[in-house]
Amino acid sequence: MVERSFPFIMRATLKLLAAASWAAAALAHASDPDVMAAIAAPAPASNPAPLNLAAPEHSWHLGAAFGYGTRSNPLIQSDDIPVIVDVDISWYGKHWFFDNGDIGFTFTDGSRATTSLVARLNDDRVFFGKTSTRFVNFAYTGFGATGPLVTTSGAPIPEPVQVKPPDRDYAIELGVESLIDTDWGLVTLGAFHDVSGTHGGYELSTRFSRRWTLGRLSLAPTVGVSYKSANLNDYYWGVHKDEASFALPEYHADAGFNFEGGLVTNYYLTRNLRVALSVNYEQLADTIAASPLAEDDHVLAWFSGLAWSF
Amino acid sequence: MQKLSRLILASGLAACLPAAGADVPAARLLVKPLLCVTDHNVASCPMTFDIRWKSPAPVEYCLNDSALATPLRCWPKVDSGEHVQKRDVSEPFVYWLGPPGGTQRAAEVKIDVLRLDSADRRRERRTRHVWDVL
């Protein structure tokens, strides 16, 4: 439990640190007498002149969404992952940036494309955080009678058999990510490799998204495909030799493609508050879906609620 | 913490109270809508503003637009007024109410512009963490 909670605690701590830094920066900004005067004083008594009332784009972005949603869990004997609060913390400097746990360094920023070196945590591990142990009975029924199943050597299978999804670790992945503006939308290309010695594999991905805005409503559909190497898939979705049992036979996952599509919808009530609705579907590679550890061949995530951006 | 409290208090006051000067009777100014959302495909918002004001006593007021040097409309000594204005909005501005030829404001309302697109392309990236559903 502690082990499973640790990455979330670590991420939460990072976000809290970021939030504290943001608050300190805001406080320092508030101590500026000009800012205080502009906020507290009545409207200026000067004649109307061209005003720059546009809010500047801050380096920090802080947001939170409250509502309800889930991310389905394709792992056997696992619960779906509830999403009640979605905290969004990011910071963008000239080169460095922090985006909800991802840390990046931008080394090229052109008129059409931005390319960064990015460190991130692998997402597959998150499915292994809500597992439970179950006991499974193996029996056959025939000729009106029920009897124990036997192994290939003829020995009866002790019952019940304990079945528990194996533990998996988070992997730190380092890679290159390019964001490319096209006439049709934004293309994201990514190539990441494990640098933590966890799975030793890599992932290549591409995603296309486009946002349409109509009045206060914005719609942003996304499609994407990712190729995960055999090492990556096998680490998370393979049943390794020392984990294999009659209930969980040994399995080696190969490389494969995951496909995804999603839609993010926002209706802006005010500058800071919006109603948010999002849905995302990911079709897992056949080699993952065929794993004894997988009971679904897809991941479905959705969320609806109120989102606040500061 | 004290500074933060002052900031929050000041923000609340600025949002709630009419911006009346010492010798300008306060008025209540209501404007709808208040927000324009722009994006890479929407440079401006064609909006029709429904503007209403009310004062406890008859006053001679003009409705002004912070982007214009001359008033939009002036009323004789009355205690309320209405105005409809069609306008293409791409920048934030303020509607304000005050005496003719004066600069003091009895009330003001800001029309905000929210820009969804950003000059920083990295703000468009979407992470795929389990909690990141937006």
Side-chain angles (χ1 to χ4, degrees), chain B residues 32-33 45-51 84-87 95:
Chain B
K32 285 193 287 189
C45 310
M47 300 172 86
T48 302
F49 293 101
D50 179 14
I51 306 158
V84 174
Q85 190 195 15
K86 288 189 177 181
R87 184 174 163 170
Y95 281 120

Side-chain angles (χ1 to χ4, degrees), chain A residues 11 58 93 207 213 271 278, chain B residues 39 113 122 128 131 133:
Chain A
R11 288 174 178 187
H58 297 289
R207 183 189 295 186
T213 300
R271 179 179 183 81
S278 70
Chain B
D39 205 346
V113 175
R122 296 170 302 176
R128 281 200 313 151
W131 61 85
V133 288

